[in-house]
Amino acid sequence: MQDFTPQDSMATPVEETMATPIEDKMATPVEEEMTTPIQDKMATPDEDKMETPDEEKTLALTQYEDKTATPYENNEVAIPEAQPNKRRKKKSIVWEHFTIETVSAGCRRACCNQCKQSFAYSTGAKVAGTSHLKRHIAKGTCPALLRNQNNSQSSPYTPSPRGGSSSNPPKRRYRTPSTPQIMFDPDRCRHEIARMIIMHDYPLHMVEHPGFVAFVQNLQPRFNMVSFNTVQGDCVATYLMEKQSLTKFIEGIPGRVCLTLDVWTSSQSVGYVFITGHFIDADWKLHRRLLNVVMEPYPDSDTVLSHAVAVCLHDWSLESKLFSITYDRPLSEAALANLRPLIPIKNPHILNGQLLVGNCIARTLSSIATEVLAAGEDTVKKIRDSVKYVKTSESHEEKFLELKNQLQVPSERTLSLDDQTQWNTTYEMLVAASELKEVFSCLDTSDSDYKHAPSLEDWKQVDTLCTYLKLIFDAANILTTTSNPTAVTFFHEVWRIQTELVRTITSEDPFISSLTKVMQDRIEKYWKNCSLALATAVVMDPRFKMKLVEFSFNKIYGEEAPTFIKIVDDGIHELFHEYLTLPLPLTPTYADDGTGGANVKTEDSQGGTLLTDNGLTDFDMYIMETTSQQMKSELDQYLDESLLPRVHEFDVLGWWKLNKMKYPTLSKMARDILSIPVSTVPSESVFDTVAKEMDQYRSSLRPETVEALICAKDWMQHGSAEAPNNALVRMEY
């Protein structure tokens, strides 16, 4: 709301006449700055005319006084103290820049004090007003005033005393219609500070840093800077507001939720379990939201993950909606036994218990890459030292590039030192060096200081490392380039890596043989723990179904393939039967999308009474009991249908959305299976070689505050919060 007071526009000419010069001098610049754009817009030329009725009445008196009285500055007429004030002082700011000059009898013009241009003011009883004079000053059309402003901007800044001085009085400013008017709202400022701290990971104590306090006070002196405790409460209040919005969203999802667990360490030896929910909404869109950050004092305990999951389920009321759990590290049998009861499935050992997806694929690929680099550690160090020699000296790099041009090496890659906490940077360093190995081999001839060139055997080993790292890099890169990498994709990727390793493990080269043996052991362990769950997702893809599972298992397991194929087939049929026996119309989790489930009303063709499903529970049970075999064929019907063509941009979720009426039960099962995540880490952490560690500052905060800051940032990035101008809940710590 603008600071516009109706009383201001209702001021009568009598009241304006009574305004004395003393009162005019007491009007401070702050009061003048509070003039709103609405008021400026309302100051029309007609209104300017209405402001001068007394001037018209006293025109003859003014002409007489101009000849007899001593004028003040701005051509103002002095009024004797003994006589009453019959003429009011002009209040418009334009009279600081214009002087009224009498041209002839009954004709006066306003002359600009800066550029000496004259403008019409009055002719007889007709007064032109001041709007055109304001435009001359405000719009920058006065050339002399514009030059003065440019000179003042180019001169160095020198602070002047508050209130100005007699020799340099403070300039009065007025607002033009184009200037926006923003109300000062201290609560909104507090809210925005909290959001800024959350979004950019700023420390809470920044509100007490002298530099920031001084900046804010100069920006808005009326804002009382908040304390650490206050801004902490504001951040928690923002978190609670965002959480309320997300809770409503999750309550409305029609399917189940899959969780991923990522454990961070800290310098204080406590752990933080990051729990992320993955689910598909009513429009068949896959979502990912960070739900909790649970501080665990004993991160190596067998109960740490089960406790964190239980906290999450209770916090979000997901006890009956959990479908699968993916964790980031190998777990003991005791830890797995603690996790399985949390999944509300009648048979927790279905698919050999692999709905508890064993390992995060990103962690698995990183561990393989780390072992590959460790196998060629000495060679990698030689390459790193050679790259360091070139990149840390401009003269060395110039000689290197000059030699590259002389040798006409066609590589377009640029050398760069690796970050040893990100294995992909080491891989890219090796690839670039390998393509430029001819330059490195000849560098000692043009640069006598370069003495540690890798040998031919070293370069051969670099090529081998790059070949096998590429297998891992291409798979891991999918996690960074695809917004929602699916289990279907990684079933194929893991199978591809396995077949490549099987083909080369019998190599006569001892280095290659040992390298592939280490890689195969790792990938086989992941495949053993996760292949059945991944295969279930493949079955839900109408381009592959059971056919790709049969083909892949025959390639990997040979004669043992039928055993594993039967496990997958039995598992999906058992899971489908469990979905089949659920009282779907009465379970909010499985309410039909957009129809409200049991609240659907139908009307007969004769316009009779409305019938609802309410009260027909026994009938629903009778239908399920008597037609279970017929409904079960829904899965068999799907499997028997021919495969869809394999198009590159196929949207499997979109296909199920279109076919949910044809497969009402199977589509609900497909929704949950296709939401199973394969990675527990965000895309920026896919190539990490070390576990994530909570920084020292956040470790010093209360666990509730840490959770609020991290979760709220994730939700704000996804735009889950409502309008940001909601009132804050005042919280103090």
Side-chain angles (χ1 to χ4, degrees), residues 503-728:
R503 189 169 54 84
T504 58
I505 197 171
T506 56
S507 173
E508 296 181 358
D509 187 318
F511 179 74
I512 295 178
S513 179
S514 62
L515 190 66
T516 54
K517 181 67 169 58
V518 171
M519 295 177 67
Q520 190 175 36
D521 289 344
R522 287 280 187 176
I523 206 71
E524 279 185 352
K525 185 176 181 180
Y526 177 84
W527 181 261
K528 179 182 177 182
N529 293 333
C530 306
S531 60
L532 299 181
L534 297 178
T536 305
V538 171
V539 175
M540 294 296 104
D541 191 324
R543 297 172 297 171
F544 304 119
K545 302 182 181 180
M546 283 295 297
K547 296 299 183 182
L548 181 59
V549 176
E550 294 167 359
F551 172 79
S552 302
F553 281 13
N554 279 313
K555 290 284 187 179
I556 293 174
Y557 297 115
E559 296 179 355
E560 298 179 357
T563 302
F564 294 97
I565 294 172
K566 187 176 186 302
I567 292 174
V568 175
D569 188 68
D570 291 346
I572 59 173
H573 278 84
E574 183 180 356
L575 190 60
F576 176 76
H577 187 267
E578 184 168 328
Y579 277 76
L580 197 62
T581 57
L582 289 171
L584 301 184
L586 302 179
T587 305
T589 304
Y590 297 97
D592 289 339
D593 302 348
T595 63
N599 296 322
V600 177
K601 297 182 178 182
T602 59
E603 186 174 358
D604 60 21
S605 59
Q606 303 300 322
T609 60
L610 295 175
L611 299 177
T612 68
D613 290 337
N614 294 333
L616 296 178
T617 306
D618 293 340
F619 175 72
D620 294 334
M621 296 302 296
Y622 171 76
I623 292 295
M624 284 187 282
E625 291 173 358
T626 57
T627 60
S628 60
Q629 187 62 36
Q630 180 181 352
M631 291 183 68
K632 186 177 180 181
S633 66
E634 184 182 313
L635 173 60
D636 295 328
Q637 177 187 352
Y638 165 77
L639 294 176
D640 291 341
E641 289 181 350
S642 59
L643 303 179
L644 294 183
R646 293 194 311 276
V647 294
H648 180 63
E649 296 295 335
F650 180 73
D651 181 6
V652 63
L653 295 180
W655 186 89
W656 279 106
K657 179 182 178 181
L658 294 175
N659 289 272
K660 65 182 179 182
M661 300 303 294
K662 182 179 180 180
Y663 303 110
T665 302
L666 188 61
S667 64
K668 293 177 174 64
M669 181 173 123
R671 185 201 304 273
D672 295 339
I673 290 175
L674 293 174
S675 65
I676 296 177
V678 293
S679 175
T680 66
V681 299
S683 58
E684 63 270 15
S685 301
V686 166
F687 298 103
D688 286 356
T689 57
V690 294
K692 283 290 186 180
E693 181 175 342
M694 189 70 70
D695 62 79
Q696 190 171 1
Y697 176 77
R698 286 191 172 177
S699 299
S700 66
L701 300 175
R702 299 177 57 189
E704 296 83 0
T705 303
V706 174
E707 181 178 52
L709 293 172
I710 297 176
C711 290
K713 178 182 179 181
D714 179 81
W715 304 338
M716 288 160 59
Q717 288 174 338
H718 286 92
S720 63
E722 297 176 350
N725 58 353
N726 291 344
L728 280 176

Side-chain angles (χ1 to χ4, degrees), residues 91-99 113 129-135 137 174:
K91 287 187 174 183
S92 178
I93 196 173
V94 300
W95 303 120
E96 294 184 6
H97 302 277
F98 287 88
T99 302
N113 297 333
T130 59
S131 296
H132 61 304
L133 306 181
K134 288 181 180 179
R135 286 193 294 271
I137 300 300
Y174 59 97

Side-chain angles (χ1 to χ4, degrees), residues 223-424:
F223 180 68
N224 294 322
M225 179 52 68
V226 295
S227 65
F228 165 80
N229 287 337
T230 302
V231 78
Q232 180 177 226
D234 289 347
C235 289
V236 174
T238 301
Y239 158 79
L240 293 175
M241 183 179 64
E242 298 280 347
K243 184 176 182 180
Q244 184 179 16
S245 176
L246 182 57
T247 299
K248 293 179 181 178
F249 182 55
I250 292 178
E251 286 175 352
I253 64 172
R256 292 181 176 179
V257 177
C258 300
L259 298 181
T260 57
L261 313 178
D262 190 24
V263 182
W264 288 31
T265 62
S266 72
S267 59
Q268 298 178 346
S269 73
V270 299
Y272 293 85
V273 182
F274 284 61
I275 305 178
T276 304
H278 304 254
F279 50 88
I280 296 174
D281 65 11
D283 197 37
W284 288 84
K285 302 296 183 184
L286 184 61
H287 295 271
R288 173 189 176 278
R289 295 291 188 277
L290 181 63
L291 300 181
N292 292 91
V293 178
V294 183
M295 191 274 286
E296 293 289 346
Y298 305 102
D300 297 325
S301 169
D302 289 334
T303 61
V304 60
L305 295 185
S306 57
H307 173 263
V309 171
V311 169
C312 175
L313 297 180
H314 176 74
D315 192 19
W316 296 90
S317 301
L318 296 175
E319 289 87 351
S320 62
K321 287 189 172 184
L322 181 59
F323 185 70
S324 77
I325 301 173
T326 306
Y327 43 89
D328 67 334
R329 56 182 180 177
L331 297 183
S332 64
E333 285 299 324
L336 289 173
N338 291 329
L339 281 172
R340 284 196 181 98
L342 298 174
I343 300 181
I345 294 180
K346 290 182 179 179
N347 179 12
H349 295 282
I350 189 173
L351 294 170
N352 288 355
Q354 286 193 16
L355 287 181
L356 287 172
V357 180
N359 291 325
C360 163
I361 185 64
R363 298 294 193 205
T364 300
L365 296 177
S366 290
S367 66
I368 295 174
T370 301
E371 295 204 22
V372 170
L373 293 172
E377 182 179 4
D378 294 339
T379 301
V380 172
K381 186 179 184 304
K382 290 180 182 179
I383 301 300
R384 184 179 293 119
D385 290 341
S386 293
V387 173
K388 186 185 299 183
Y389 176 84
V390 172
K391 297 298 293 182
T392 56
S393 170
E394 290 187 7
S395 60
H396 294 169
E397 187 168 13
E398 289 175 0
K399 292 178 180 178
F400 184 88
L401 294 176
E402 182 181 353
L403 181 59
K404 175 189 173 184
N405 293 331
Q406 291 176 358
L407 297 174
Q408 297 182 349
V409 177
S411 176
E412 297 295 329
R413 292 187 180 270
T414 303
L415 289 177
S416 61
L417 276 173
D418 62 330
D419 175 0
Q420 296 184 50
T421 65
Q422 298 269 315
W423 67 266
N424 62 310

